[in-house]
Amino acid sequence: MPSSPEDITESVESADPLHSLVLHTTDNGVSWITLNRPEAMNAVTWEQRDRLIGLLAEASADPAVRAVVLTATGRGFCAGADLRGAPATGERVPGDVARTIRLGAQRLIAAVLDCEKPVVAAVNGTAAGIGAHLAFACDLVLAAESAKFIEVFVRRGLVPDGGGAYLLPRLIGPQRAKELMFFGDSLPAAEAERLGLVNRVVPDGELAATARSWAQRLAEGPTRAIALTKQLVNASMDADRPTAFAAEAMAQEINMTTQDANEGVASFVERRVPKYRGV
């Protein structure tokens, strides 16, 4: 099992240069996706974004994958978008910017939110702009002590994109979200944990091991039940109580048709540890 982003780097070889910029390996049911442009603080190009989206879609569809870890190499988790790799459109016309955001940053964040497997962010360093939103979209967020989060858009005279104005108010409330977005101050990992943006902060040297431990626990769990739980929680933020209750009942109805649900009940009756297979 990969023990660090550097180990992943050494274990993955490909003739395709893009594959060296977004590393991927699967081990013990965990899909490890690693941004690998440390010289650019892992700012993502259009091509890298498409590869990330593709890998998340593959994780959803692959029954052998039961959890995902998203991390990076070097000092930065993701410094935001590198638009130099965006498709050339010639002279800009009204609608071009909105289209670029829909097809780029928003599609990436949606891929994380919609992934049917739990996604753990292991934030090793600076997460700025879309990089911060990429982390916040994950189901669980681990951060190294040296990590920091920056809503950098206001520093550039820009509106937050990549789902920021959707994600942050739901995570920490509108006032806190506005404070981060209006000022663009650097938010240390410990403060991000206090606000509820991060699940746990760990020493830098323990980040990979903690991510591995969490991902393995998820990979050994009832995969379909976790997927349905993720869907329920995400949808509940925009639903009224009757809608949320109805969705909950239907999710349990669907879940009870899975082998893992039957195994969970049987193991309880038989007083033994359940052995979930993800089906």
Side-chain angles (χ1 to χ4, degrees):
M1 178 180 297
S3 60
S4 69
E6 287 72 19
D7 290 340
I8 298 172
T9 305
E10 294 172 0
S11 67
V12 179
E13 295 181 355
S14 173
D16 187 341
L18 178 59
H19 286 217
S20 70
L21 298 179
V22 181
L23 307 175
H24 178 245
T25 188
T26 301
D27 189 72
N28 285 346
V30 180
S31 173
W32 290 77
I33 303 174
T34 306
L35 296 173
N36 187 40
R37 282 185 76 207
E39 72 284 356
M41 296 287 284
N42 293 305
V44 289
T45 65
W46 191 274
E47 290 81 6
Q48 286 176 290
R49 203 153 38 213
D50 280 349
R51 176 157 163 78
L52 284 170
I53 292 168
L55 290 171
L56 289 163
E58 290 174 14
S60 284
D62 187 350
V65 172
R66 298 171 66 183
V68 177
V69 175
L70 183 59
T71 189
T73 59
R75 297 183 300 107
F77 175 73
C78 177
D82 185 343
L83 297 180
R84 288 174 295 182
T89 58
E91 184 178 354
R92 182 185 296 169
V93 298
D96 283 348
V97 172
R99 189 179 309 106
T100 297
I101 291 170
R102 285 197 305 271
L103 297 179
Q106 290 179 352
R107 196 160 61 97
L108 174 58
I109 298 305
V112 178
L113 293 170
D114 295 339
C115 183
E116 296 178 27
K117 309 299 166 62
V119 183
V120 179
V123 183
N124 54 295
T126 299
I130 184 63
H133 301 165
L134 182 61
F136 299 152
C138 292
D139 302 299
L140 299 171
V141 183
L142 294 168
E145 288 179 339
S146 63
K148 56 186 177 180
F149 302 86
I150 310 172
E151 287 296 317
V152 75
F153 300 93
V154 71
R155 299 186 184 183
R156 311 288 183 259
L158 300 174
V159 172
D161 61 38
Y166 173 85
L167 291 168
L168 264 73
R170 286 164 172 77
L171 292 169
I172 59 175
Q175 276 73 30
R176 291 290 192 182
K178 290 171 187 174
E179 180 182 345
L180 295 179
M181 292 179 170
F182 288 0
F183 295 120
D185 293 335
S186 178
L187 186 70
E191 181 66 7
E193 181 183 31
R194 189 185 70 80
L195 290 176
L197 290 168
V198 168
N199 292 87
R200 187 173 300 175
V201 176
V202 298
D204 288 27
E206 297 178 14
L207 180 65
T210 306
R212 186 184 332 115
S213 174
W214 281 31
Q216 201 58 58
R217 288 182 64 187
L218 291 167
E220 292 170 359
T223 306
R224 297 312 305 165
I226 292 173
L228 287 165
T229 301
K230 172 176 178 172
Q231 182 180 350
L232 282 175
V233 172
N234 287 351
S236 73
M237 305 304 293
D238 301 306
D240 56 25
R241 181 176 60 80
T243 301
F245 275 26
E248 176 187 277
M250 183 55 65
Q252 195 69 290
E253 175 79 19
I254 295 169
N255 186 63
M256 288 306 297
T257 67
T258 66
Q259 294 180 29
D260 279 351
N262 292 326
E263 166 63 9
V265 173
S267 66
F268 173 77
V269 172
E270 297 167 12
R271 298 187 178 183
R272 58 176 175 80
V273 177
K275 294 183 180 178
Y276 296 120
R277 298 193 301 156
V279 293

Short mmCIF file of all heavy atoms in Angstrom, two decimals, residues 160-190:
data_model
loop_
_atom_site.label_atom_id
_atom_site.label_comp_id
_atom_site.label_asym_id
_atom_site.label_seq_id
_atom_site.Cartn_x
_atom_site.Cartn_y
_atom_site.Cartn_z
N PRO A 160 -15.65 34.16 -6.37
CA PRO A 160 -15.32 32.75 -6.14
C PRO A 160 -16.07 31.85 -7.11
O PRO A 160 -17.27 32.04 -7.33
CB PRO A 160 -15.78 32.51 -4.70
CG PRO A 160 -15.80 33.86 -4.07
CD PRO A 160 -16.19 34.81 -5.17
N ASP A 161 -15.36 30.89 -7.69
CA ASP A 161 -16.04 29.91 -8.54
C ASP A 161 -15.65 28.51 -8.09
O ASP A 161 -15.07 28.34 -7.02
CB ASP A 161 -15.74 30.15 -10.03
CG ASP A 161 -14.27 30.04 -10.39
OD1 ASP A 161 -13.58 29.17 -9.84
OD2 ASP A 161 -13.80 30.81 -11.25
N GLY A 162 -15.99 27.52 -8.88
CA GLY A 162 -15.75 26.15 -8.46
C GLY A 162 -16.59 25.76 -7.26
O GLY A 162 -16.16 24.96 -6.42
N GLY A 163 -17.79 26.31 -7.17
CA GLY A 163 -18.72 25.90 -6.12
C GLY A 163 -18.45 26.51 -4.77
O GLY A 163 -19.07 26.10 -3.77
N GLY A 164 -17.55 27.48 -4.66
CA GLY A 164 -17.21 28.03 -3.36
C GLY A 164 -18.37 28.65 -2.62
O GLY A 164 -18.57 28.41 -1.42
N ALA A 165 -19.17 29.46 -3.31
CA ALA A 165 -20.30 30.13 -2.66
C ALA A 165 -21.43 29.15 -2.35
O ALA A 165 -22.36 29.50 -1.61
CB ALA A 165 -20.82 31.26 -3.55
N TYR A 166 -21.36 27.96 -2.89
CA TYR A 166 -22.31 26.89 -2.55
C TYR A 166 -21.80 26.09 -1.36
O TYR A 166 -22.53 25.82 -0.40
CB TYR A 166 -22.51 25.97 -3.75
CG TYR A 166 -23.35 24.74 -3.47
CD1 TYR A 166 -24.74 24.80 -3.53
CD2 TYR A 166 -22.76 23.52 -3.14
CE1 TYR A 166 -25.51 23.68 -3.27
CE2 TYR A 166 -23.52 22.40 -2.88
CZ TYR A 166 -24.90 22.48 -2.94
OH TYR A 166 -25.66 21.37 -2.66
N LEU A 167 -20.51 25.72 -1.38
CA LEU A 167 -19.96 24.84 -0.37
C LEU A 167 -19.78 25.52 0.99
O LEU A 167 -20.20 25.00 2.02
CB LEU A 167 -18.61 24.29 -0.84
CG LEU A 167 -18.62 23.30 -2.00
CD1 LEU A 167 -17.20 23.10 -2.53
CD2 LEU A 167 -19.22 21.97 -1.57
N LEU A 168 -19.11 26.67 0.99
CA LEU A 168 -18.70 27.25 2.27
C LEU A 168 -19.86 27.63 3.19
O LEU A 168 -19.81 27.33 4.39
CB LEU A 168 -17.78 28.45 2.04
CG LEU A 168 -16.29 28.08 2.14
CD1 LEU A 168 -15.86 27.28 0.92
CD2 LEU A 168 -15.43 29.31 2.28
N PRO A 169 -20.93 28.30 2.70
CA PRO A 169 -22.03 28.61 3.62
C PRO A 169 -22.66 27.37 4.24
O PRO A 169 -23.12 27.41 5.38
CB PRO A 169 -23.04 29.35 2.73
CG PRO A 169 -22.22 29.89 1.61
CD PRO A 169 -21.17 28.86 1.36
N ARG A 170 -22.67 26.28 3.50
CA ARG A 170 -23.25 25.04 4.02
C ARG A 170 -22.34 24.37 5.04
O ARG A 170 -22.80 23.60 5.89
CB ARG A 170 -23.55 24.09 2.86
CG ARG A 170 -24.77 24.51 2.06
CD ARG A 170 -24.84 23.82 0.70
NE ARG A 170 -26.13 24.11 0.06
CZ ARG A 170 -26.42 25.26 -0.54
NH1 ARG A 170 -25.53 26.24 -0.56
NH2 ARG A 170 -27.60 25.43 -1.10
N LEU A 171 -21.05 24.64 4.95
CA LEU A 171 -20.10 24.04 5.87
C LEU A 171 -19.91 24.87 7.14
O LEU A 171 -19.79 24.31 8.24
CB LEU A 171 -18.75 23.86 5.18
CG LEU A 171 -18.69 22.81 4.06
CD1 LEU A 171 -17.39 22.94 3.28
CD2 LEU A 171 -18.84 21.41 4.63
N ILE A 172 -19.88 26.19 7.01
CA ILE A 172 -19.54 27.03 8.16
C ILE A 172 -20.50 28.21 8.36
O ILE A 172 -20.28 29.04 9.24
CB ILE A 172 -18.10 27.57 8.05
CG1 ILE A 172 -17.91 28.39 6.76
CG2 ILE A 172 -17.10 26.42 8.11
CD1 ILE A 172 -16.53 29.04 6.66
N GLY A 173 -21.55 28.31 7.55
CA GLY A 173 -22.50 29.41 7.69
C GLY A 173 -22.12 30.60 6.83
O GLY A 173 -20.97 30.77 6.45
N PRO A 174 -23.09 31.47 6.52
CA PRO A 174 -22.85 32.56 5.59
C PRO A 174 -21.88 33.62 6.10
O PRO A 174 -21.07 34.15 5.33
CB PRO A 174 -24.24 33.15 5.35
CG PRO A 174 -25.06 32.73 6.52
CD PRO A 174 -24.52 31.38 6.91
N GLN A 175 -21.93 33.94 7.38
CA GLN A 175 -21.04 35.01 7.87
C GLN A 175 -19.57 34.60 7.80
O GLN A 175 -18.72 35.37 7.36
CB GLN A 175 -21.41 35.40 9.32
CG GLN A 175 -22.54 36.41 9.40
CD GLN A 175 -23.89 35.80 9.05
OE1 GLN A 175 -24.12 34.61 9.28
NE2 GLN A 175 -24.78 36.60 8.49
N ARG A 176 -19.27 33.40 8.26
CA ARG A 176 -17.89 32.92 8.19
C ARG A 176 -17.44 32.79 6.74
O ARG A 176 -16.30 33.12 6.39
CB ARG A 176 -17.77 31.56 8.89
CG ARG A 176 -17.93 31.63 10.40
CD ARG A 176 -16.75 32.31 11.05
NE ARG A 176 -16.76 32.13 12.50
CZ ARG A 176 -15.87 32.65 13.32
NH1 ARG A 176 -14.90 33.40 12.85
NH2 ARG A 176 -15.95 32.43 14.62
N ALA A 177 -18.33 32.30 5.89
CA ALA A 177 -17.99 32.15 4.48
C ALA A 177 -17.66 33.50 3.85
O ALA A 177 -16.68 33.65 3.12
CB ALA A 177 -19.14 31.48 3.73
N LYS A 178 -18.46 34.52 4.18
CA LYS A 178 -18.21 35.85 3.64
C LYS A 178 -16.90 36.42 4.15
O LYS A 178 -16.17 37.08 3.40
CB LYS A 178 -19.37 36.78 4.01
CG LYS A 178 -20.68 36.47 3.28
CD LYS A 178 -21.81 37.29 3.85
CE LYS A 178 -23.15 36.88 3.26
NZ LYS A 178 -24.29 37.57 3.91
N GLU A 179 -16.59 36.18 5.41
CA GLU A 179 -15.32 36.66 5.96
C GLU A 179 -14.14 36.10 5.17
O GLU A 179 -13.22 36.83 4.80
CB GLU A 179 -15.20 36.26 7.43
CG GLU A 179 -13.90 36.72 8.08
CD GLU A 179 -13.79 36.27 9.53
OE1 GLU A 179 -14.81 35.86 10.12
OE2 GLU A 179 -12.66 36.33 10.08
N LEU A 180 -14.18 34.80 4.91
CA LEU A 180 -13.09 34.18 4.16
C LEU A 180 -13.03 34.70 2.73
O LEU A 180 -11.95 34.98 2.19
CB LEU A 180 -13.26 32.66 4.14
CG LEU A 180 -13.14 31.93 5.48
CD1 LEU A 180 -13.37 30.44 5.29
CD2 LEU A 180 -11.79 32.19 6.12
N MET A 181 -14.20 34.86 2.11
CA MET A 181 -14.24 35.26 0.70
C MET A 181 -14.02 36.75 0.50
O MET A 181 -13.45 37.16 -0.51
CB MET A 181 -15.58 34.83 0.09
CG MET A 181 -15.72 33.34 -0.02
SD MET A 181 -17.33 32.86 -0.70
CE MET A 181 -17.04 31.11 -0.98
N PHE A 182 -14.46 37.58 1.44
CA PHE A 182 -14.29 39.03 1.31
C PHE A 182 -12.84 39.47 1.52
O PHE A 182 -12.37 40.40 0.88
CB PHE A 182 -15.17 39.77 2.32
CG PHE A 182 -16.65 39.75 2.02
CD1 PHE A 182 -17.16 39.10 0.90
CD2 PHE A 182 -17.55 40.38 2.87
CE1 PHE A 182 -18.52 39.06 0.65
CE2 PHE A 182 -18.91 40.37 2.63
CZ PHE A 182 -19.39 39.70 1.51
N PHE A 183 -12.15 38.80 2.44
CA PHE A 183 -10.79 39.22 2.79
C PHE A 183 -9.70 38.39 2.12
O PHE A 183 -8.59 38.89 1.89
CB PHE A 183 -10.59 39.18 4.31
CG PHE A 183 -11.44 40.18 5.05
CD1 PHE A 183 -12.36 39.76 6.00
CD2 PHE A 183 -11.34 41.54 4.81
CE1 PHE A 183 -13.15 40.67 6.69
CE2 PHE A 183 -12.12 42.46 5.48
CZ PHE A 183 -13.03 42.02 6.43
N GLY A 184 -9.98 37.13 1.84
CA GLY A 184 -8.98 36.29 1.19
C GLY A 184 -7.77 35.99 2.06
O GLY A 184 -6.67 35.74 1.55
N ASP A 185 -7.95 36.03 3.39
CA ASP A 185 -6.84 35.76 4.29
C ASP A 185 -6.48 34.28 4.29
O ASP A 185 -7.33 33.41 4.07
CB ASP A 185 -7.19 36.19 5.71
CG ASP A 185 -7.32 37.69 5.86
OD1 ASP A 185 -6.72 38.41 5.04
OD2 ASP A 185 -8.03 38.15 6.78
N SER A 186 -5.22 34.00 4.57
CA SER A 186 -4.75 32.63 4.68
C SER A 186 -5.30 32.01 5.97
O SER A 186 -5.19 32.60 7.05
CB SER A 186 -3.22 32.60 4.70
OG SER A 186 -2.74 31.29 4.87
N LEU A 187 -5.90 30.83 5.86
CA LEU A 187 -6.52 30.16 6.99
C LEU A 187 -5.67 28.94 7.37
O LEU A 187 -5.63 27.96 6.63
CB LEU A 187 -7.94 29.71 6.62
CG LEU A 187 -8.79 29.10 7.73
CD1 LEU A 187 -9.19 30.16 8.75
CD2 LEU A 187 -10.03 28.44 7.13
N PRO A 188 -4.97 28.98 8.51
CA PRO A 188 -4.15 27.84 8.91
C PRO A 188 -5.00 26.59 9.15
O PRO A 188 -6.20 26.69 9.46
CB PRO A 188 -3.49 28.31 10.22
CG PRO A 188 -3.61 29.80 10.19
CD PRO A 188 -4.88 30.10 9.45
N ALA A 189 -4.39 25.44 9.04
CA ALA A 189 -5.11 24.18 9.17
C ALA A 189 -5.84 24.08 10.51
O ALA A 189 -7.00 23.64 10.56
CB ALA A 189 -4.14 23.01 9.01
N ALA A 190 -5.19 24.50 11.59
CA ALA A 190 -5.82 24.39 12.91
C ALA A 190 -7.09 25.23 12.99
O ALA A 190 -8.09 24.81 13.59
CB ALA A 190 -4.83 24.80 14.00
#
